[in-house]
Amino acid sequence: MFSALLINKTDAGQTVEVTQLDEAQLPEGDVVIEVAYSTLNYKDGLAITGRSPVVRKWPMVPGIDLAGTVVESSNPDWKAGDAVVLNGWGVGEVHWGGLAQKAKLKGEWLVPLPAGISARQAMAIGTAGYTAALCVEALEQAGVTPDKGEVLVTGATGGVGSVAIALLAKAGFTVAASSGKASEAEYLQQLGASTIIDRNELSAPGKPMQKERWAGVVDSVGSHTLANACAQTRYGGVVTACGLAQGMDFPASVAPFILRGLSLLGIDSVMAPKAKRLAAWARLARDLDLAKLDVIGGQEIGLSGAVDAATQLMDGKVRGRIVVNVNK
């Protein structure tokens, strides 16, 4: 038996509770993992609160991330004792996820826990930090370099934004952080932001072409924020889009793309191939200052605290990352 957060769907609505499950109930997979830590991402918050139909199979153990140790494997790539990380692949949506003490998964979904990063630190990074690393990798591969100008990070106090700032600053970029939380300016500067911008400057409808400001953008917000970021990006600049906190819409014009040669790159973390995952985690292991990670991912809860924390996350009351100790 093991403890897990379980979401059920009833005629009266959705229920969420910490319960005991039998290992025989675990879904199909060729690797069994003893989970040490998980985390709460935006998608987990949507699933747990029921504010969006993220869960597509019932009942469901949420948690799109986990870090732990292999205890049983019929997959040739993994053996008992291997330390592993999982991000995405529909886990927590159609396959039981990481907010449990045990998980059974496909070995092809896993990557090794990088040397020098603990299981707890990996979950302070989580999908949010891994996505941030994918964004930074994409900017560099598209030719954005520190000498070309500032890089804008939207949703800066969130998980993606926080890690993106730290990685970009480490790589030598000058970072402008957009946030609606004026009280968090010191936090953002600690991470490496040089300039703090009120998110209201970007969140309202704007002109299709605006003053050129950014060489690159990491956007986790979408909607008008993404449209304005594109309208303000310099000639030949690159915008990476990985989130929709403000909305799924994109009320923009083709003008910046045609007249300024702008590139808009979609960043998918869920189904990203293994090579991209390994590159992102290698960057995190190499470039992420773990002292800054302590600032980003300082909040730790147990399984019993996940429902309240998910509500706070959806209400915009969370800074950085929430780490879930599933054995706490």
Side-chain angles (χ1 to χ4, degrees):
M1 302 296 289
F2 63 96
S3 296
L5 188 71
L6 191 69
I7 305 175
N8 255 308
K9 189 175 184 180
T10 68
D11 292 339
Q14 179 172 297
T15 64
V16 190
E17 63 177 345
V18 177
T19 188
Q20 292 290 303
L21 298 174
D22 193 298
E23 286 190 33
Q25 295 175 264
L26 286 167
E28 290 184 5
D30 52 14
V31 181
V32 178
I33 298 164
E34 186 173 90
V35 182
Y37 291 92
S38 185
T39 181
L40 289 182
N41 295 283
Y42 189 78
K43 188 179 286 185
D44 300 317
L46 291 172
I48 293 168
T49 61
R51 296 190 188 183
S52 183
V54 169
V55 176
R56 288 173 282 160
K57 190 174 182 180
W58 307 89
M60 179 56 58
V61 175
I64 66 173
D65 291 333
L66 66 82
T69 305
V70 174
V71 292
E72 183 182 328
S73 174
S74 59
N75 186 298
D77 291 338
W78 306 104
K79 63 183 186 303
D82 286 342
V84 294
V85 176
L86 170 100
N87 307 109
W89 291 114
V91 170
E93 300 175 71
V94 295
H95 191 99
W96 283 10
L99 288 170
Q101 293 174 321
K102 289 283 179 71
K104 194 172 186 180
L105 306 163
K106 292 184 179 181
E108 65 200 61
W109 295 345
L110 304 171
V111 296
L113 179 70
I117 294 180
S118 69
R120 187 193 185 285
Q121 289 167 335
M123 290 297 96
I125 294 168
T127 280
Y130 147 66
T131 302
L134 289 173
C135 290
V136 176
E137 287 275 309
L139 286 175
E140 289 193 343
Q141 289 172 9
V144 181
T145 52
D147 61 295
K148 292 188 176 179
E150 279 186 295
V151 173
L152 171 68
V153 176
T154 66
T157 58
V160 174
S162 295
V163 177
I165 292 167
L167 290 176
L168 287 163
K170 174 70 173 181
F173 288 93
T174 301
V175 182
S178 169
S179 173
K181 301 173 183 176
S183 60
E184 301 291 5
E186 184 179 349
Y187 164 75
L188 296 171
Q189 288 164 348
Q190 275 184 284
L191 296 178
S194 299
T195 306
I196 313 300
I197 297 171
D198 189 317
R199 72 178 174 200
N200 291 328
E201 293 184 27
L202 296 167
S203 60
K207 295 179 180 179
M209 295 283 283
Q210 300 172 36
K211 182 180 178 181
E212 296 180 53
R213 302 179 69 178
W214 324 115
V217 178
V218 174
D219 176 68
S220 60
V221 178
S223 191
H224 291 293
T225 298
L226 176 58
N228 286 318
C230 290
Q232 295 175 9
T233 298
R234 294 182 177 186
Y235 188 92
V238 180
V239 176
T240 57
C242 65
L244 41 77
Q246 186 180 4
M248 291 184 67
D249 58 323
F250 183 43
S253 162
V254 297
F257 303 97
I258 297 170
L259 301 178
R260 291 184 182 161
L262 180 70
S263 297
L264 177 60
L265 306 180
I267 304 300
D268 166 58
S269 62
V270 177
M271 305 302 289
K274 193 166 186 177
K276 285 190 174 182
R277 293 170 182 267
L278 292 172
W281 277 102
R283 175 179 285 274
L284 289 161
R286 182 183 71 243
D287 291 347
L288 186 59
D289 184 340
L290 295 183
K292 290 183 179 179
L293 184 59
D294 290 338
V295 176
I296 296 168
Q299 185 177 351
E300 182 176 314
I301 62 173
L303 280 176
S304 61
V307 175
D308 285 344
T311 300
Q312 291 175 20
L313 181 63
M314 290 295 94
D315 290 342
K317 297 178 180 178
V318 172
R319 180 184 82 180
R321 306 283 294 132
I322 300 173
V323 176
V324 184
N325 182 342
V326 299
N327 299 298
K328 186 175 178 180

